[in-house]
Amino acid sequence: MGLLNLGFLVNLISAPVTSGFTTATSIIIIITQIKGILGLKIRANGCMNYLIQYYENVHKARMGDLVLGISCIVFLLLMRKLKDLPIDKEKRRGLYRCLWYMSTGRNVLIVLITSFISYRYEAVGVETPFKLLGHVEPGIPRFQLPPFSTTMGNHTVEFTQMFRDLTPAMFVIPLVAILANVSISKAFAASSGSPVDATQEMLTLSI
C-alpha cells in the first residue's frame, strides 16, 4: 500500500474512529496485562473471557508479583515527571540533562533494577517472591524455513489447507492493522500539531 501511495485512504477514517482505535487498544493492553501484575497464569480469548478468568482466579494472586508490579508502575510514573521539575536549564544544565536522561531511559532503569533484585535472590539461593521468565536459550535461533504442515490432535494439516483456510484473513488482517497503526499515529500527532505522512508510515511498518 505504501509503494502504491495509498496513504490517502487513512484520510477517509473519521476522528471518532481514530479515537475508538486508540481507546480500544489501551483497554485491551490494560486488561491483558493484569495477569502479569497479579502473577496469574491464564489463557483466554477476548477481553470478557479475561475478566471472567480474573474473577475466578483472583484468589490465586501472588502478593510478591502484585507489589513488584505496582512498585514498577509508580516508579515509571515518578521518573516520567523528572524532566518536568522546575530547574533552570541554563544555570544547572548538567543536572537538567542528567534528570532528562533518567526520565527518558526509565524503562531501561526499571529493567536493570528488577534484574539485579532477581539476581541477588538467585545468588543467595532464595526463591524469588515473584515469578521469573525462567531459562532463556542463549544466542540467535537457528535459521530455518517455517513449517509447511502442522499437527492438530491426530490430524495433519497440510500447507494447502492452511492457505485455503487463512486466505481471507491474510488480506483483511494486514489491512486493518496498517490502518489502525496509522490512525493511532495521527491521533498522537494531533496532540502535538505535527503532520503525519500516512504513506511513509505504511512503508515504515512494512520494513
Side-chain angles (χ1 to χ4, degrees), residues 32-44 49-50 53-54 56-62 65 131-134:
T32 55
Q33 293 304 309
I34 291 177
K35 63 180 181 182
I37 295 179
L38 297 179
L40 298 176
K41 190 175 182 180
I42 60 177
R43 298 179 66 89
N49 288 334
Y50 265 109
Q53 290 285 345
Y54 292 148
E56 295 177 348
N57 296 279
V58 68
H59 62 282
K60 299 179 182 178
R62 296 165 56 98
D65 292 80
K131 288 185 177 181
L132 299 178
L133 291 177

